[in-house]
């Protein structure tokens, strides 16, 4: 039986994730007290092939140790995956402001920013146990649903999905990245007036990078590094791996390199997802 525990801070997208899992055929339970998880699993073990439960700050035990003990006292054949979804504080504050919902911890007259910080501390033991982490700060409902689906189906098929993602360091690195490569040391088309308005997907920029030995060497060495370690991730039953490449603005260097890596590993037979964070905004 497959068991997925969905957790994260309020407003991050747990309800959306649970809805996606229900559409994928999971028996879903929202707001289950963690102490009842072993009882639920034993009760439906012979009836359901896939269960998803949502656990958040509303149903945590008083003692943090009880949280992980409930996961450890499951039947031996059940190995839970934990999906932890979170967002930046500023994004969560905005979402609560738009919906005018009351945060679960605000009922004790705790200001919302403090409630969010306390919620993060309370959920930290579960976050550290997470199989997958998703930062929904810049994701639409559709994009979040897509990422949940990719992770779950990748695990079910026992196939590693590799995400090549470009980003700009001035906007911060992706929180979900497993590997982060810094391309800011490479020649920058931003300083070429005719190339500045273009991106790493445009032919003129591609030709520019193709004439730069340092760029060619950088890509070659990153490909060699990843080719060495990707098989180990595949053998460890990992279903999702995010490789993030960053430059200053996320327009030229990181985009070009992410495209090159994606094509290289696609030709190796891997399942590849390509994302350009700054271009897709």
């Amino acid at each position: 039986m497959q068991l997925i525990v969905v957790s994260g801070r309020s407003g991050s997208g747990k309800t959306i994730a649970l809805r996606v899992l229900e559409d994928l055929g999971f028996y879903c339970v929202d707001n289950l007290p963690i102490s009842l998880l072993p009882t639920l699993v034993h009760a439906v073990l012979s009836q359901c092939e896939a269960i998803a439960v949502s656990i958040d700050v509303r149903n945590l035990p008083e003692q943090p140790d009880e949280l992980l003990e409930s996961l450890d006292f499951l039947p031996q054949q059940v190995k839970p995956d934990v999906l932890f979804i979170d967002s930046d504080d500023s994004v969560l504050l905005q979402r609560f402001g738009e919906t005018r919902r009351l945060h679960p911890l605000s009922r004790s007259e705790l200001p919302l920013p403090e409630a969010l910080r306390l919620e993060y501390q309370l959920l930290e033991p579960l976050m550290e146990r997470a199989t997958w982490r998703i930062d929904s700060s810049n994701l639409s409902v559709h994009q979040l649903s897509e990422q949940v689906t990719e992770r779950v189906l990748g695990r079910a098929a026992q196939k590693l999905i590799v995400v090549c993602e470009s980003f700009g360091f001035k906007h911060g690195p992706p929180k979900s990245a497993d590997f982060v490569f810094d391309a800011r040391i490479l020649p920058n088309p931003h300083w070429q007036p005719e190339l500045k308005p273009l991106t790493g997907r445009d032919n003129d920029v591609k030709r520019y990078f193709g004439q730069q030995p340092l760029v060619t060497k950088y890509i070659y060495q990153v490909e060699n590094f990843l080719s060495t370690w990707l098989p180990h991730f595949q053998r460890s039953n990992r279903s999702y791996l995010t490789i993030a490449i960053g430059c200053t603005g996320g327009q030229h260097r990181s985009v070009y390199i992410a495209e090159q890596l994606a094509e290289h590993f696609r030709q190796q037979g891997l399942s590849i997802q390509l994302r350009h964070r700054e271009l897709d905004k």
Side-chain angles (χ1 to χ4, degrees):
M1 185 181 73
Q2 185 177 12
L3 169 63
I4 296 180
V5 176
V6 180
S7 188
R9 287 195 289 179
S10 304
S12 61
K14 300 186 303 298
T15 301
I16 295 170
L18 208 62
R19 192 179 306 133
V20 171
L21 292 171
E22 188 171 28
D23 291 341
L24 291 174
F26 282 74
Y27 176 77
C28 296
V29 181
D30 188 19
N31 197 18
L32 178 75
I34 186 65
S35 60
L36 296 181
L37 180 59
T39 303
L40 171 69
V41 172
H42 279 93
V44 301
L45 188 59
S46 60
Q47 305 172 27
C48 298
E49 295 183 359
I51 300 176
V53 298
S54 174
I55 295 175
D56 56 36
V57 73
R58 296 170 297 172
N59 45 27
L60 290 178
E62 294 184 4
Q63 300 298 324
D65 291 344
E66 296 179 27
L67 176 62
L68 300 183
E69 286 178 359
S70 297
L71 297 179
D72 293 333
F73 289 157
L74 295 172
Q76 188 174 4
Q77 65 268 40
V78 179
K79 303 297 182 184
D81 290 316
V82 178
L83 170 60
F84 194 91
I85 307 174
D86 200 12
S87 293
D88 292 335
D89 286 5
S90 59
V91 174
L92 294 177
L93 288 169
Q94 180 181 349
R95 290 174 182 172
F96 272 100
E98 291 172 349
T99 61
R100 298 188 178 182
R101 291 177 54 214
L102 188 65
H103 190 279
L105 296 179
S106 294
R107 293 186 174 88
S108 58
E109 299 183 356
L110 196 66
L112 182 55
E114 293 184 23
L116 289 173
R117 285 193 290 270
L118 177 59
E119 185 178 25
Y120 185 89
Q121 295 173 4
L122 294 173
L123 291 173
E124 195 167 14
L126 199 54
M127 180 185 66
E128 292 176 351
R129 184 78 173 261
T131 310
W132 309 295
R133 297 185 191 181
I134 297 179
D135 178 9
S136 67
S137 302
N138 299 307
L139 299 180
S140 65
V141 172
H142 174 74
Q143 290 170 327
L144 176 58
S145 300
E146 188 178 68
Q147 287 202 22
V148 173
T149 301
E150 288 174 357
R151 283 160 167 77
V152 174
L153 294 183
R155 169 59 63 88
Q158 295 184 339
K159 186 173 184 180
L160 179 66
I161 297 173
V162 178
V163 180
C164 295
E165 180 175 4
S166 68
F167 71 94
F169 272 102
K170 69 179 182 180
H171 303 296
K175 293 182 179 179
S176 59
D178 297 291
F179 290 106
V180 176
F181 295 96
D182 188 346
R184 288 175 292 183
I185 197 175
L186 301 177
N188 190 358
H190 176 83
W191 305 113
Q192 306 292 326
E194 69 278 10
L195 300 180
K196 181 177 178 179
L198 304 179
T199 75
R201 292 185 292 195
D202 292 307
N203 289 331
D204 288 346
V205 175
K206 292 179 181 179
R207 281 191 291 269
Y208 171 83
F209 283 130
Q211 298 169 358
Q212 305 293 328
L214 197 61
V215 175
T216 302
K217 181 178 181 180
Y218 185 94
I219 294 174
Y220 173 76
Q221 292 187 341
V222 171
E223 286 176 349
N224 279 346
F225 173 82
L226 294 173
S227 295
T228 299
W229 294 107
L230 283 178
H232 294 276
F233 282 98
Q234 289 175 302
R235 288 195 291 269
S236 68
N237 201 29
R238 184 74 173 264
S239 63
Y240 211 81
L241 188 76
T242 299
I243 300 165
I245 302 94
C247 59
T248 304
Q251 303 291 318
H252 297 104
R253 294 166 290 185
S254 60
V255 171
Y256 175 78
I257 294 171
E259 295 266 346
Q260 295 297 307
L261 293 176
E263 181 58 27
H264 172 80
F265 288 111
R266 189 177 288 117
Q267 291 180 4
Q268 305 301 313
L270 292 175
S271 180
I272 301 295
Q273 300 287 337
L274 180 61
R275 298 196 183 111
H276 300 301
R277 191 182 73 179
E278 317 309 347
L279 300 187
D280 294 339
K281 287 183 178 179

